[in-house]
Amino acid sequence: MVFSSLFFVYVFMPVLLLLYYAIKRNSWRRGVLLLFSLLFYAWGEPVYILLMLFSAQMNYLFGLAVGFSEKPAARKTAVALGVIVNIALLGVFKYAGFAVETFNSVTGLAIPVPAISLPLGISFYTFQAMTYVIDVYRGNCAPQKSFSRLLLYISLFPQLVAGPIVRYTDIEDSLESRRVSAAQFNNGLYRFAIGLGKKVIFANTCGLAAENLFAFNATHGATVLGNWGGILFYAFQIYFDFSGYSDMAIGLGHMFGFTFPENFDYPYISRSVSEYWRRWHITLSSWFRDYLFYPVLRSKLCTSITRSLRKSGHKAASRNVPTIIALLIVWFSTGLWHGASWNYVIWGLYYGILLILEEFVFGKIQKRIPSAVSATAGRVLFVFITLFGFAIFYNETDLLRNLGYLLGVGTVGFSDVYTVSMLYENGLLLIAALVCVTPLGHTLASGFGSMLESRCGSSAAYNISRVAKTVAILALFAICTVRMVGDSYNPFIYFRF
């Protein structure tokens, strides 16, 4: 089941909201939300719901073992086992086939490749469950004594299959009891409508244009413009797809009294790679920072390297080398997290190397260049780097050949009539997409709100904004309903990660 379906919007969500708000007791409301969350997951993965239940039960027991063990050694053993078992589950179900294929290609053997289908959302709920156990060990939260509450945290349907990655500490109090004001519910519905519009109006349309361009290039000969145009549409598709899903998840959370962390902050206006990763998939970036980068940096390996370099008189290297090692490990893991394919690993290392260069090389050069020139050059370079990165991310097969097309290697020419006509026909879509990936709309709305407040007073401005939001919600739902009725193309890209 996907959020951008008529069944979810007009059956699942309304029935759940009616039942949820018809009940007054918090314990019963938790039960209804848990039941519908399990139903939501079982709708798409009826078999693998058992795997999710096993993961929840396992992490519940590890959390108790970590939280109530008095001996430090026992606590350390319990958290280590928790991390190992979680990674092992993810490894078996997501990477077993990839590992065997890689081993066969290296050794020349022909070991049968296990045909294991990827459980929906396993990367997201495994990371969340693992985070809970680690946070209990770190003392950031108390162990959850109620299995049903922990199961609700892991299975909570808005963020279950595609994030944002919600830490247990983010919603620990809300699992116990929640109250939703009319304003919070209205904001949640508005946020959901914005996300639905991103997905149905922009992501699906851009995705179809990208597929058509790539398909034409594959059958009629690749052109430089055709491949860059396809990647441009794909870049818009993946942003509106994933940020739209995050908006819908955050909006649904508000409707039920949960506050989920933000996941996107206009990443395409960035001027550097490091800024981009502070704005794109924020919850994943922060997860790897807090649960992998800093632990690696403080590990015995990096500590011993630092000491050795200091003893040999390389003070600068003693500061930089451990950071470089930690960055490469993090970005190798980030790439692998996205998918069991070498293009994702290459994509991760691509960004890891860029971040290292930006930190230790480009930063020094940038200080010598006038700020205006640096900002302009940074944005131009960022666009090229980002689109090239998406080309790596997109092409699971024939990666080198397809990257060569972007540089004019192996193409039949620079452009063709079909590509030009596609770009012309979708010109308004591209312009609208460019506007919507910037904070321009939010800035204009904030400015209009401030003007209303200064002229009409805060109370009148609030009422007008509520009416405007309601109108926007109705309009977006109407447009999206028409699109959902007529369109058969409706994938969610991040479901497969």
Side-chain angles (χ1 to χ4, degrees), residues 173-490:
D173 295 335
S174 300
L175 288 169
E176 181 63 31
S177 62
R178 301 167 302 284
R179 289 186 178 181
V180 184
S181 65
Q184 186 181 5
F185 186 90
N186 182 262
N187 287 335
L189 194 59
Y190 176 72
R191 189 70 179 269
F192 181 88
I194 292 291
L196 186 65
K198 282 183 177 181
K199 167 61 183 164
V200 175
I201 298 170
F202 285 103
N204 288 357
T205 310
C206 289
L208 191 58
E211 282 199 5
N212 288 337
L213 277 172
F214 287 133
F216 183 86
N217 274 260
T219 56
H220 294 82
T223 62
V224 176
L225 186 62
N227 277 270
W228 279 108
I231 290 299
L232 178 62
F233 279 115
Y234 178 70
F236 283 131
Q237 178 196 11
I238 199 169
Y239 169 74
F240 287 116
D241 184 280
F242 195 20
S243 71
Y245 188 97
S246 295
D247 285 338
M248 287 187 275
I250 292 168
L252 285 164
H254 281 312
M255 291 185 222
F256 295 105
F258 295 97
T259 301
F260 297 155
E262 293 295 333
N263 214 20
F264 288 86
D265 182 22
Y266 303 105
Y268 288 167
I269 67 169
S270 303
R271 288 177 291 181
S272 66
V273 175
S274 57
E275 182 184 358
Y276 174 71
W277 283 105
R278 290 193 298 269
R279 293 173 176 271
W280 176 281
H281 204 345
I282 299 168
T283 57
L284 181 68
S285 300
S286 63
W287 194 98
F288 274 111
R289 179 196 65 206
D290 295 340
Y291 297 96
L292 187 57
F293 177 78
Y294 288 134
V296 168
L297 205 58
R298 297 166 185 152
S299 66
K300 291 180 179 179
L301 171 65
C302 285
T303 302
S304 63
I305 290 172
T306 300
R307 288 173 180 170
S308 298
L309 289 170
R310 282 178 180 172
K311 285 180 180 179
S312 61
H314 299 90
K315 292 184 179 180
S318 69
R319 292 190 302 269
N320 298 340
V321 171
T323 301
I324 291 171
I325 291 171
L327 281 171
L328 289 175
I329 291 173
V330 164
W331 284 97
F332 175 87
S333 304
T334 302
L336 198 59
W337 179 90
H338 278 84
S341 176
W342 281 111
N343 71 299
Y344 296 118
V345 175
I346 293 168
W347 171 82
L349 291 174
Y350 168 79
Y351 271 108
I353 292 168
L354 284 173
L355 286 166
I356 290 167
L357 291 173
E358 189 175 280
E359 176 69 21
F360 299 110
V361 179
F362 296 154
K364 296 177 181 179
I365 297 173
Q366 189 178 16
K367 291 177 182 178
R368 301 173 184 173
I369 302 173
S371 58
V373 176
S374 174
T376 304
R379 290 192 188 279
V380 173
L381 184 61
F382 168 75
V383 170
F384 173 79
I385 285 172
T386 305
L387 291 179
F388 196 81
F390 277 128
I392 300 172
F393 192 86
Y394 179 84
N395 290 292
E396 293 187 28
T397 58
D398 296 324
L399 176 60
L400 291 177
R401 183 195 301 173
N402 286 294
L403 292 181
Y405 293 156
L406 296 175
L407 304 175
V409 179
T411 59
V412 296
F414 178 78
S415 184
D416 56 83
V417 175
Y418 179 79
T419 299
V420 173
S421 65
M422 278 287 291
L423 293 173
Y424 178 78
E425 289 172 8
N426 291 280
L428 290 178
L429 171 67
L430 289 172
I431 293 170
L434 280 169
V435 171
C436 291
V437 299
T438 71
L440 178 61
H442 179 74
T443 302
L444 291 175
S446 298
F448 182 70
S450 300
M451 182 192 71
L452 279 177
E453 190 170 344
S454 64
R455 293 189 177 184
C456 308
S458 58
S459 178
Y462 174 76
N463 291 330
I464 292 171
S465 69
R466 287 284 297 274
V467 172
K469 279 188 176 181
T470 303
V471 172
I473 290 168
L474 292 174
L476 281 169
F477 271 104
I479 295 168
C480 291
T481 299
V482 173
R483 297 296 297 267
M484 286 187 289
V485 169
D487 289 350
S488 58
Y489 185 85
N490 190 31

Side-chain angles (χ1 to χ4, degrees), residues 15-33 36 178:
V15 170
L16 172 56
L17 287 169
L18 285 172
L19 284 174
Y20 184 85
Y21 283 102
I23 297 170
K24 300 302 179 184
R25 291 180 60 179
N26 274 319
S27 59
W28 289 17
R29 283 184 169 183
R30 279 196 301 270
V32 168
L33 198 51
F36 272 76
R178 301 167 302 284

